[in-house]
Amino acid sequence: MSETKMAESNGLRLLFDEPFYQPVANEVGVFMAAWGRRLPVMLKGPTGCGKTRFLEHMAWRLKRPVVTVACHEDLTSSDLVGRFLIEGDETVWQDGPLTKAVRAGAICYLDEIVEARTDTTVVIHPLTDHRRSLPIEKLGVEITAHPDFMLVISYNPGYQTVLKDLKPSTKQRFVGMNFNYPPADVETRIVMKEAGIDEARARALVAAAGKARNLKEQGLQEVTSTRALIYAGALMVAGLDALEACTVAIINPQTDDPELAEALLEIFRTFFPEQG
Ligand SMILES: Nc1ncnc2c1ncn2[C@@H]1O[C@H](COP(=O)(O)OP(=O)(O)O)[C@@H](O)[C@H]1O
Ligand SMILES: [Mg+2]
């Protein structure tokens, strides 16, 4: 799995080496067009299908720093915008990651934005339209975004319940780019490159995943991701038996149900028959 050289300062990451991204369609063209007009972008798709990798690749292409925020249920607007901290007997203002990106002209990537509290989606609204501004209530100011600031969010439509979903009025502020697990040939190339595994075993992993993904109807919440295939391949390269690698990298993390696990193992066994 590749590691990229980067510089990190004040939460802003600048990528020096090209993060490997294998395009599936015209993702790069769409993103470049959105960037050209500084339109906010929403990357939609299941876990482990390449959204984050794509964003890092684009940041590298554009030579812009990235600020990534992994959103979670306790994330508040202050976590994004900033807060006063007590230092000795002084209170000092500290910019949050969103504010840093707005000031520096970075790409701000809010990963899994629906996880965050709804007040966080309210603060991003003025950044998503012609205003391109960020109100900082606690400072009583509204700052205008740097011309190179861009907002990108990711969103996994499979997870959402009616209670926890992005409001249509929020979604409609973004250019929406749909991601999914790539076609078999493309996914094979990705697994080969990222896991460092030979073509035969990468193909077998991808073909098995194709079948395993059909089990979704049987109650699997999440299907086998490209990431899980890469982990399995990497463990095989590290010397694990193929079925053991598939079990620990793909099956165990995916289901707690012994029957579903057995059904998945059966699929992988047919593609890696020489073992177990
Ligand atoms: N199109 C792609 N090109 C290159 N690598 C990919 C691609 N899609 C997925 N990957 C690989 O799969 C892994 C998981 O993708 P990631 O971007 O982290 O998923 P997501 O953000 O959608 O959950 C990446 O680290 C990368 O190794
Ligand atoms: Mg991600």
Side-chain angles (χ1 to χ4, degrees):
M1 278 160 273
S2 49
E3 266 182 44
T4 48
K5 274 208 206 87
M6 58 164 207
E8 178 147 11
S9 120
N10 197 23
L12 276 70
R13 280 185 308 140
L14 190 60
L15 302 162
F16 296 131
D17 292 343
E18 175 175 357
F20 165 66
Y21 180 76
Q22 176 70 54
V24 175
N26 188 31
E27 304 93 292
V28 173
V30 172
F31 194 95
M32 289 304 256
W35 160 259
R37 302 301 296 258
R38 301 300 188 272
L39 296 178
V41 170
M42 167 170 61
L43 311 179
K44 263 170 84 170
T47 321
C49 74
K51 301 183 296 295
T52 297
R53 177 58 67 87
F54 172 70
L55 192 268
E56 295 190 334
H57 177 82
M58 294 311 299
W60 169 81
R61 267 183 188 248
L62 296 167
K63 298 187 170 52
R64 300 312 309 162
V66 198
V67 177
T68 298
V69 183
C71 300
H72 54 81
E73 56 191 358
D74 297 325
L75 190 94
T76 62
S77 58
S78 305
D79 293 324
L80 284 182
V81 175
R83 53 167 53 90
F84 284 106
L85 297 176
I86 308 210
E87 274 182 17
D89 32 54
E90 269 183 287
T91 48
V92 288
W93 173 258
Q94 184 170 48
D95 280 346
L98 178 63
T99 308
K100 287 177 188 171
V102 164
R103 291 193 205 273
I107 297 175
C108 185
Y109 182 44
L110 303 179
D111 204 0
E112 287 295 340
I113 176 108
V114 265
E115 293 298 325
R117 297 220 217 136
T118 41
D119 63 325
T120 60
T121 47
V122 175
V123 301
I124 64 175
H125 276 191
L127 281 170
T128 57
D129 53 38
H130 64 278
R131 289 172 282 175
R132 284 177 58 85
S133 69
L134 176 68
I136 307 182
E137 239 172 66
K138 287 178 185 153
L139 291 179
V141 296
E142 185 153 340
I143 56 175
T144 301
H146 183 289
D148 286 340
F149 168 77
M150 186 185 192
L151 184 64
V152 180
I153 63 175
S154 82
Y155 168 70
N156 181 344
Y159 272 166
Q160 274 60 62
T161 64
V162 192
L163 285 175
K164 208 170 196 189
D165 196 355
L166 278 184
K167 283 207 245 95
S169 59
T170 302
K171 282 189 212 170
Q172 283 175 25
R173 293 167 169 271
F174 290 82
V175 169
M177 296 182 63
N178 287 0
F179 284 72
N180 214 326
Y181 304 117
D185 279 348
V186 177
E187 195 169 37
T188 301
R189 248 176 289 146
I190 295 169
V191 173
M192 285 171 68
K193 170 114 171 112
E194 293 285 299
I197 198 168
D198 54 274
E199 182 170 351
R201 285 186 292 177
R203 264 196 200 292
L205 277 168
V206 169
K211 291 261 188 279
R213 285 169 187 158
N214 292 332
L215 288 183
K216 188 158 172 94
E217 285 74 46
Q218 260 132 70
L220 278 178
Q221 263 214 325
E222 284 278 304
V223 298
T224 307
S225 67
T226 306
R227 180 190 290 121
L229 298 182
I230 293 166
Y231 284 180
L235 292 176
M236 290 181 205
V237 172
L240 281 196
D241 162 90
L243 279 185
E244 187 168 35
C246 294
T247 302
V248 298
I250 301 169
I251 302 173
N252 292 350
Q254 211 177 100
T255 182
D256 301 325
D257 176 342
E259 274 174 38
L260 272 173
E262 187 48 49
L264 284 167
L265 186 62
E266 204 42 58
I267 291 173
F268 283 92
R269 203 176 271 132
T270 58
F271 288 90
F272 293 96
E274 67 280 11
Q275 279 99 0

